[in-house]
Amino acid sequence: MTKNSIYRAAYNRRKKLLNTGYQYKENILKNTLSKQMYGVNETLDTFLKNVNEVVYENIEAVKNIKIFANPALDKYERDIK
């Protein structure tokens, strides 16, 4: 984003927020799958924990793609959540 961009004011306004949002890193599958999937089998819990990490990394990759494909932002802008 250039210094004279019409989007700079909106970007800076959004950047000053104190709330960081919901931290979903550990709870993606726990919130989306059935409650009967957790706590029943230790092997299944370990497997779901590993799958949860893969799902989280996929979500973070999509965020980076959204930043990269946005024409209103600078190529090297990384502060958007």
Side-chain angles (χ1 to χ4, degrees):
M1 186 175 336
T2 62
K3 289 184 179 181
N4 298 332
S5 174
I6 60 173
Y7 302 105
R8 178 63 69 180
Y11 174 72
N12 288 338
R13 187 172 358 124
R14 205 175 29 197
K15 190 174 176 181
K16 295 176 187 174
L17 294 177
L18 299 176
N19 187 2
T20 59
Y22 178 67
Q23 301 299 323
Y24 59 87
K25 182 176 183 176
E26 301 295 326
N27 299 322
I28 297 170
L29 291 180
K30 193 175 283 188
N31 291 341
T32 56
L33 294 177
S34 171
K35 301 294 182 196
Q36 298 173 349
M37 298 286 285
Y38 287 95
V40 177
N41 186 351
E42 187 175 319
T43 306
L44 183 62
D45 289 343
T46 305
F47 175 72
L48 289 176
K49 182 180 177 186
N50 292 335
V51 171
N52 189 61
E53 293 174 9
V54 172
V55 171
Y56 175 74
E57 292 300 325
N58 285 341
I59 291 172
E60 291 299 312
V62 168
K63 286 182 182 179
N64 288 334
I65 292 170
K66 288 170 95 174
I67 292 171
F68 180 75
N70 191 342
L73 297 177
D74 186 29
K75 181 178 176 182
Y76 300 106
E77 199 74 53
R78 295 289 178 230
D79 291 336
I80 294 179
K81 300 281 179 184

